[in-house]
């Protein structure tokens, strides 16, 4: 599933190419999206900005509404020209001024695109946790959010109401970098451990963004190109291969229904 670096990569490209343009026509090819996009009056509005929040992409429109999209497992958000060749699994197409088209494609159809009003957008924002690239992502704030939690730190990192945008790949990579066992109880981390986790999360996300995201299957940027960060990973999906730091074989274990990858030596409990 696309995580912060992947969604941010798409958001930046969309911002660059669509900000200031207006949505002139919407075609929906999926009944599920029809419902989400058709509830309100038809979309015919200018795009003021494109922002990312957690793993969501939001197009801020000049009629105060917001088009919120989530790629989920397999979605792609592409910027094309109207007359470009068709893309597979097209679920919705937003035609903008000057023949620019935003295409939402998704073979597995878990992705969502929804138009919401300003109040719902506020509610949506408040349900999401700290943004890792914001000044609010500090040792103090993360400690506060983890306080009293008995779940494994790995599970806490995936909780979008604690920290927004981190998923399975970057959580595993950050815990390895911080030398923390994914199984440590979240509320039991000491100051030093939380501080190194904050640094590690920022670092792995920044590296991921620099490499254009991680592609293990379907993720592609807004031009349809895969990312390159899969080449830089240290533990994720490297079970049995040597830890780049100590050469011990990487292990994997299901924690909170997600497969976690870690070095049993560097990340001792
Ligand atoms: Zn190791």
């Amino acid at each position: 599933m696309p995580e912060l670096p992947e969604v941010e990569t798409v958001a930046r490209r969309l911002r660059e190419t669509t900000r200031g343009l207006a949505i002139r026509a919407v075609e929906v090819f999926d009944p599920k999206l029809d419902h989400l996009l058709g509830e309100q009056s038809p979309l015919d509005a200018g795009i003021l900005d494109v922002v990312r929040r957690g793993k969501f992409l939001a197009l801020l429109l000049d009629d105060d509404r917001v088009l919120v999209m989530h790629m989920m497992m397999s979605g792609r958000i592409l910027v094309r020209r109207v007359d470009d060749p068709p893309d597979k699994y097209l679920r919705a197409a937003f035609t903008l001024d000057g023949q620019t088209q935003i295409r939402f494609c998704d073979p597995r159809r878990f992705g969502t695109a929804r138009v919401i009003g300003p109040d719902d957008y506020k509610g949506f924002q408040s349900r999401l946790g700290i943004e890792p690239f914001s000044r609010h992502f500090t040792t103090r704030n993360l400690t506060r959010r983890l306080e009293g939690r008995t779940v494994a730190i790995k599970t806490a990192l995936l909780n979008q109401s604690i920290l927004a945008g981190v998923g399975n790949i970057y959580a595993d990579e950050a815990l390895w970098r911080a030398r923390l066992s994914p199984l440590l109880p979240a509320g039991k981390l000491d100051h030093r451990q939380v501080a190194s986790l904050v640094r590690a999360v920022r670092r792995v996300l920044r590296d991921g963004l620099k490499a254009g995201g991680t592609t293990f299957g379907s993720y592609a940027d807004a031009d349809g190109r895969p990312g390159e960060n899969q080449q830089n990973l240290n533990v994720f999906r490297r079970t049995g291969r040597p830890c780049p730091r100590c050469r011990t074989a990487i292990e994997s274990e299901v924690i909170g229904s997600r497969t976690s990858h870690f070095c049993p030596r560097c990340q001792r409990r």
Side-chain angles (χ1 to χ4, degrees):
M1 182 191 287
E3 304 179 26
L4 187 152
E6 292 76 41
V7 183
E8 181 65 32
T9 302
V10 173
R12 287 182 180 183
R13 182 77 177 123
L14 233 62
R15 193 179 307 140
E16 219 172 80
T17 48
T18 69
R19 187 159 61 177
L21 301 181
I23 298 175
R24 298 300 182 196
V26 183
E27 292 162 278
V28 183
F29 306 98
D30 182 322
K32 182 180 147 195
L33 288 188
D34 209 14
H35 168 68
L36 297 175
L37 293 169
E39 267 175 353
Q40 316 232 357
S41 53
L43 270 180
D44 184 4
I47 300 171
L48 294 176
D49 206 354
V50 180
V51 297
R52 179 199 53 76
R53 182 77 171 93
K55 302 178 198 171
F56 292 87
L57 199 84
L59 277 67
L60 312 182
L61 306 175
D62 64 5
D63 63 0
D64 285 340
R65 294 189 293 172
V66 183
L67 171 58
V68 180
M69 301 167 100
H70 196 301
M71 296 185 259
M72 294 301 285
M73 307 299 290
S74 57
R76 285 181 174 188
I77 297 168
L78 302 161
V79 178
R80 302 290 200 205
R81 313 282 309 164
V82 171
D83 50 10
D84 277 342
D87 285 290
K88 268 192 196 165
Y89 311 112
L90 183 65
R91 299 179 62 205
F94 305 88
T95 301
L96 317 180
D97 299 321
Q99 306 293 298
T100 300
Q101 200 166 51
I102 300 173
R103 296 181 186 172
F104 186 44
C105 301
D106 191 358
R108 295 177 66 182
R109 300 181 57 223
F110 289 118
T112 58
R114 182 196 296 264
V115 179
I116 58 177
D119 289 342
D120 285 343
Y121 186 56
K122 252 182 229 154
F124 156 83
Q125 295 257 44
S126 68
R127 284 189 293 276
L128 288 168
I130 314 171
E131 277 295 330
F133 285 160
S134 77
R135 63 188 170 81
H136 303 292
F137 187 44
T138 60
T139 304
R140 196 167 155 203
N141 285 341
L142 184 59
T143 303
R144 238 183 240 157
R145 299 233 177 189
L146 296 177
E147 221 162 44
R149 295 191 190 256
T150 53
V151 294
I153 184 61
K154 169 64 189 282
T155 305
L157 284 179
L158 300 183
N159 182 338
Q160 298 299 299
S161 67
I162 297 177
L163 190 61
V166 172
N168 213 25
I169 300 173
Y170 296 98
D172 281 2
E173 291 295 315
L175 288 166
W176 178 82
R177 189 163 277 282
R179 299 178 189 246
L180 296 173
S181 162
L183 288 161
L184 287 172
K188 290 273 160 65
L189 266 63
D190 63 25
H191 181 84
R192 189 188 53 82
Q193 289 174 317
V194 177
S196 63
L197 186 57
V198 166
R199 277 195 304 274
V201 165
R202 273 212 204 96
R203 172 71 190 273
V204 298
L205 294 176
R206 207 169 283 150
D207 287 351
L209 185 57
K210 227 182 272 170
T214 305
T215 297
F216 271 119
S218 55
Y219 168 72
D221 68 16
D223 298 304
R225 288 181 308 235
E228 286 175 359
N229 193 54
Q230 57 280 8
Q231 295 156 18
N232 307 332
L233 302 178
N234 292 299
V235 284
F236 188 78
R237 293 211 186 159
R238 291 177 51 86
T239 310
R241 292 164 75 181
C243 165
R245 211 157 36 203
C246 74
R247 315 313 290 169
T248 305
I250 300 298
E251 291 183 0
S252 57
E253 185 173 331
V254 176
I255 302 171
S257 82
R258 304 299 300 277
T259 301
S260 296
H261 311 79
F262 57 95
C263 169
R265 186 159 170 214
C266 297
Q267 298 172 264
R268 225 170 275 163
R269 281 185 78 178

